[in-house]
Amino acid sequence: MNPEGEHSTAELAKLLHSPVILVMDCDKVTRTAAAMILGCRHFDQSVDIRGVILNRIGGSRHAGCRAKVHRGSLRIPVLGAVPRMADIPFSERHLGLIPPQEHDRIRQALGKAADIAGDYLDLGSLTGIAESAPAWEDHAFPDLQPGDKTGREQVTIGVIRDGAFSSITLKHRSSRRQRCQGP
C-alpha cells in the first residue's frame, strides 16, 4: 500500500483494462453515497466504472430515491439494490470471512447468495459488462519474468488452503503441479 495507490484494486483493473462495478454501502446514507461515487469517478478517470450496486438499502423507498440520484445526477447505471438482511449465513471473524473449507453451512450460504443475486441484481447487465472485458493474456507483461522484482521487494503470494489457515505459495503449488504431471 502506498499513497499513489499502486497496489489497489483500481490499479489492477487499469492494468488489465477491466470494467469496474462499485458496490456502495448505503446503510443510513442517501446523497452522501452519490458524492462518494462521484468522487470515485473523478478521482481517477482512467478507472472504467461501468455501474454501481447499492448494498444494505433500507427499503424500496430508499432504493428508489438512491437509484434516481444515481441515474440522474451521476448518469451511472444502478445494477442492483440489495436490502439490509439479518439472516445472511456468511460467517465472519476478526480477519474477514470464514473460508469455505471451514464453513459448516457452505451450501446454505451459497444458495442464499444465489437467491440474493437473482432477486436483487441485474445479472444480464452484469454479465454483459463482464463479457466486455478484454481477454487477459500472459504476454500482456512481456518484460516480467518469474522472480522479477517489480518494486522495492519481491512479493510472495499465498493461498489459504485449510482449517488451520495454513498457506501455500504459488511457487510451491506450481512445483507440486509439475511433480504430479511429470516431465
Side-chain angles (χ1 to χ4, degrees), residues 23-76:
V23 178
M24 178 57 57
D25 184 351
C26 296
D27 191 37
K28 300 181 177 99
V29 298
T30 305
R31 290 182 55 117
T32 301
M36 291 190 299
I37 292 167
L38 188 60
C40 288
R41 289 186 82 186
H42 291 288
F43 183 73
D44 187 344
Q45 295 182 6
S46 58
V47 177
D48 184 15
I49 299 174
R50 300 271 190 94
V52 63
I53 295 172
L54 310 175
N55 193 26
R56 299 188 347 147
I57 291 292
S60 59
R61 181 171 166 254
H62 188 208
C65 178
R66 300 281 324 176
K68 194 173 189 178
V69 167
H70 293 299
R71 287 187 190 108
S73 59
L74 297 180
R75 290 184 174 78
I76 185 168

Side-chain angles (χ1 to χ4, degrees), residues 52-57 63-64 67 78-83 119-122:
V52 63
I53 295 172
L54 310 175
N55 193 26
R56 299 188 347 147
I57 291 292
V78 176
L79 303 170
V82 180
D119 292 344
Y120 300 107
L121 303 179
D122 180 349

Side-chain angles (χ1 to χ4, degrees), residues 2 14 47 53 58 81 88 93 103 113 134 137 141-142 146 164 171-172:
N2 64 13
K14 290 188 317 185
V47 177
I53 295 172
I88 297 181
R93 66 170 148 229
H103 199 299
E137 300 175 17
F141 310 100
K171 177 181 173 184
H172 292 122

Side-chain angles (χ1 to χ4, degrees), residues 118-135:
D119 292 344
Y120 300 107
L121 303 179
D122 180 349
L123 296 176
S125 293
L126 287 166
T127 300
I129 291 168
E131 290 173 344
S132 75

